[in-house]
Amino acid sequence: MGFKEGVILCCFCVFLVSCLVNGGDIVHHDDVAPKRPGCNNNFVLVKVPTWVNREEVTQFVGIGARFGPTLESREKRANQTKLAFADPPDCCSKPRNKLTGEAILVHRGNCSFTTKAKVAEAAGASAIIIVNNQTELFKMVCGPDKSDVDIGIPAVMLPQDAGTTLIEFLRNSSAVFLQLYSPKRPAVDVAEVFLWLMAVITILCASYWSAWSAREAAIEQDKFLKDGTDDYGGKKVTHSGGVLDINMISALLFVVVASCFLIMLYKLMSFWFIEILVVLFCIGGVEGLQTCLVTLLSCFRWFEHAQESFVKVPLLGPVSYLTLAISPFCLAFAVMWAVFRRVSIAWIGQDILGIALIITVLQIIRVPNLKVGTVLLTCAFFYDIFWVFVSKWLFHKSVMIEVARGHKSGEEGIPMLLKIPRMFDPWGGYSIIGFGDIILPGLVVAFSLRYDWLCNKSLRAGYFLWTMTAYGLGLFVTYVALNLMDGRGQPALLYIVPFTLGTFLLLGAKRGELKHLWTRGEPYRPCPHIQLQPAE
C-alpha cells in the first residue's frame, strides 16, 4: 500500500464517524418535563433585540418557558416593551417598584419559576425575563405540585452574561426597551436543496471515475490475455493509482472502529482536539484535491508530458512533474482554509476539500461484491441509529449530534462535514451532512456502475440508474424527516440504506443475477460478449 493510499485509508477510518444530516433545531423537546394544562409549551428559542435610548444596541437569544402564552413569531407584530429591574431582584414577593406594563428583569433562585411569573403578572408586568445564574440556558418548567398553571404573561430565560449587560443598561439609562419573539424556520430552506445536489453529484462523479478506471484496467488485462504474455500470471491488473478492496472482516469491524473513534471524539472533544482534526482534514483534503486535479488535467494534451514524466522523491517514490506542480497549490489552499476557517465564507473551502476527499476515497476504496456491500451498509445502518438515538440512554445526550455540533469545543464543530449556510432562515446556522452519509452508500453505488460497464449493460438494464435514484430518494426522505422533526439531527443512513440497498437487492433477485452479484461481483475482465475499445 502506497503513501497516498495509507493517507486516504486513515481519513476513511476517522471521517466516517459522522453519519448525520442536521438543520439546527430551535424547538427543544424534553420528555423529562411532561406537558399538562397550562404548562404545555415547547421550549423555543427567543430573540430579544434591545434598544437603549431608542437606538438598537444588541440582540440576545433566550429560551421560552413551558408555561405562559405562546410568543409572537413575527418581528413586526412583537411590541417594544420598556424594561424594569425587579425590587427585590428575585421577584419572589410583590415588587416595591410600580409596574405599568413593563417587562420585568429578575434573578433566578429562592422560589419557583411559576411563582415569579405569577408575582410579576399580579404587579402589572407584561413579561418576565429571568436571568440564569450560569452562562448557558435552562429550561423553565412547572413545579410538580402544580396541576394547573394559569399564567398570562410570557416568560423567557436569558444566560447570565446577557442579564449582566441588561442590568448595566438599566443603571446607565432610564430608557431600555426590548422585543420578545420566536421566528419560525421556513419549511424548506434552499440550502437543503443545494446540499442534496452536492451529495448526489459527488457520488455521480466518483462512480463514473471509478467505473472508467475499472474499464481501463479491464482493457489492459484483456490485452495481456490476447497477447498471451507471460507477465500476467493470472493476477488482476489495476490502474496505477492502486485500489483497496474492502473484505468481510473490514466490513464487520466498521462498527467497532467507527464507534471507538466516535467515543474518542465525544470524550476528548475540546478546542485543541478540534485543531488536531483540522490538521488531519487538511492532510486528507490536500491528497484528495491533488488527486482530483491531476486526474482532471491529465485529460488535456497540454499536460500529458508532465503527467508521464517522473522524478524520484524520498519516501514517496516516483512522482510526476504534474503532481509536483499541483501540490503547492493544494497545500496552500488547505492552509488558507485552516487559518481563515472561522470566516463566514470558509464553508466553501471546507466543501471543496471535503468533496475532493470523498471522490478520491470512492476511487481508491471499493467493495468487491454485493455481499460485502450489504454487510457494510447493514452495520452502518445500525451504527447510525445507535449513536443518534440509543446513545441518549447511555450518555444522556446523542453522542453523534453532540460531536457534529462541536460539543465542548467552542461550538466550532468537526470539519468532516459538508455544510451550506441556511439562506432564508432567521436563525441562520448551517445545514450539514456527514461524510459517511455519502461515502458508505457511494461505495455500493460505484460498484453498481462498475458492474454495469464491465458487463456491457445499458443504463436502463443495469443497476446504477436505479441505485443512484434510490440514494437520491433516500436522502430526500431524510430531509423531509428533518423538517418534520423541527430540524433535529437525523441518522441519514436510517433512510438511505433501505432505499439504496433494498433497490439493488430486489432488482438483482428479480433479474436472477443476485447470486452472481453476491459472490463474484464485478468481473476482473470484460464479459466474453463485450467488445471494448481503448480510448483514443
Side-chain angles (χ1 to χ4, degrees), residues 166-182:
L166 286 175
I167 292 172
E168 288 296 321
F169 288 159
L170 288 170
R171 287 175 180 173
N172 299 328
S173 173
S174 59
V176 178
F177 291 81
L178 50 76
Q179 280 182 315
L180 301 175
Y181 66 102
S182 179

Side-chain angles (χ1 to χ4, degrees), residues 253-323:
L253 284 177
F254 163 77
V255 174
V256 178
V257 175
S259 296
C260 290
F261 273 117
L262 189 63
I263 294 175
M264 182 179 68
L265 289 173
Y266 179 73
K267 293 295 185 180
L268 301 180
M269 187 68 71
S270 63
F271 171 79
W272 293 109
F273 197 73
I274 285 289
E275 297 294 320
I276 295 174
L277 292 179
V278 168
V279 172
L280 291 175
F281 175 73
C282 287
I283 293 174
V286 168
E287 282 293 334
L289 188 59
Q290 173 186 285
T291 302
C292 292
L293 288 178
V294 168
T295 302
L296 182 62
L297 293 176
S298 299
C299 299
F300 299 95
R301 294 182 179 179
W302 305 288
F303 299 99
E304 285 183 359
H305 180 72
Q307 174 61 12
E308 295 172 357
S309 302
F310 294 85
V311 61
K312 194 171 184 180
V313 178
L315 300 179
L316 300 179
V319 178
S320 70
Y321 284 104
L322 181 59
T323 301

Side-chain angles (χ1 to χ4, degrees), residues 22 27 39 98 108 163 290 293 319 331 336 372 520 529:
N22 191 19
V27 178
C39 195
K98 249 184 187 181
R108 178 185 175 185
Q290 173 186 285
L293 288 178
V319 178
L331 182 61
M336 287 288 289
V372 173
R520 292 184 58 190
H529 61 281

